[in-house]
Structure formats: C-alpha cells, structure tokens
Amino acid sequence: IHDLEIVAITGSYGKTSIKNFVAQILSAKYRVYATPRSVNTLGGIIRDVNDGLPQDSQIYVCEAGARERGDIAEIAQFLEPQRVVVGKVGLAHVEYFKSLQNIIATKLEIMRSVRLKKAFIHTSVTDEPHEKVEFFGDEIQNVVATLDGTTFDFVDASGTISLATSVLGAFQTMNIAVAIKLAKEFGYSNDEIIKAVA
C-alpha cells in the first residue's frame, strides 16, 4: 500500500485508549484501520497486516507493546512508521524490565523508524529536545468531568480549543490531547477537531 501512513503508539499506560481515540478522530476524514483489541506484539502485528489490513487503508494505527528490550525496535523496523506516540511511562511491567530507565529506553526504541517524520512524546518519558519530537501532557485545562461526559480546553501555540466529549474520565483528556495533535498533523481544522472529539 504505497501511500499508507502509519502511526505507531507505545507507552506504559493508555496505549489502547490513545489508539482508539486516534483511529476514531482520523476516521472522520480518512480510511483508517487500527490493530484490533490489544494486538501489540510483533507476531500479532504481522498477522494483522497480512490478514486484517484493508488494501484501501490510508492510515494504519498500530499499538506497540513490549516485554523486553528490543521488542519495540523490532516493531519499528517492521512497520517503519512515519509518526509515533510514546504515551505516559511508569512502572507497569517493571518485573520484565527491572527499572524505569529500562522501560523508558525500550519505549523510545519506537524512534528508530527510518521513515520517522514526527514523534509525540509524553512529558513523563523525557524532556530531551529533538527536531522531530513534540511533547504532550500539559495542553489540557479547565477539565469538567461528569457522568454525562467531559469538557476541557486544549491549549497549544496556535490558541485554545474548547471541547466536549461523551468519553468519561478526566484522565482520558491527556490521551485525547495527543490524538488532537495527530489530527492537526493530518491537516484537521479546529472545527473538524471539535466535531470529531464530540
């Protein structure tokens, strides 16, 4: 699929939520296919590409998981994603990695894609500047979360967007924030973002 754009998502927490938000928001304008359920190992991704990925897909959103050093690097080598997300990182699965530093190093293997154009990295991972990195985690303000949904403001260098979603939980706004950043990367206007998030 010659013009396929690939978004690979990793992190300790929220990978599946971020994948689902990215896929739903981008599908408002593009033919998007995302890895099903919690498929996130190299073998599962290979099987998904062979058996599930439609030939007319414009964007493939792929979740990348790891149990040891090198797992994410193998996925990055296989997929060669143009855009990657490293979500919030913490001590999840520390029994496999032995330290937070090892977890962070493994998640950052996603940056090894030879076609990398842009990486969105949560501020819990690193603050080391890189020409292809945009950090996220501090864009959300004025969150009001109820049993009816969540309202919040997304603030970046271009201004403020006021948003409402039926998604429950203030913690999900951070995962939606990186999906908004990806939507902007794919040319969405503020109005299109508001509609897609709703």
Side-chain angles (χ1 to χ4, degrees), residues 9 15-25 34-35 37 61:
I9 298 164
K15 290 188 298 292
T16 304
S17 293
I18 293 171
K19 174 193 72 178
N20 291 334
F21 294 143
V22 168
Q24 184 165 359
I25 289 171
T35 47
R37 301 173 308 281
V61 183

Side-chain angles (χ1 to χ4, degrees), residues 57-79:
S57 298
Q58 295 174 297
I59 301 173
Y60 181 37
V61 183
C62 183
E63 183 177 331
R67 288 293 169 98
E68 59 185 49
R69 296 287 291 267
D71 284 355
I72 300 292
E74 286 184 337
I75 292 169
Q77 183 179 10
F78 172 64
L79 289 176

Side-chain angles (χ1 to χ4, degrees), residues 90-118:
L91 293 172
H93 305 303
V94 71
E95 66 273 18
Y96 301 118
F97 295 100
K98 308 303 181 204
S99 72
L100 182 60
Q101 290 75 20
N102 286 341
I103 294 170
I104 289 171
T106 301
K107 301 304 181 184
L108 287 174
E109 291 171 1
I110 201 80
M111 297 280 294
R112 296 186 192 175
S113 170
V114 297
R115 296 192 299 172
L116 185 68
K117 293 178 184 175
K118 191 79 173 260

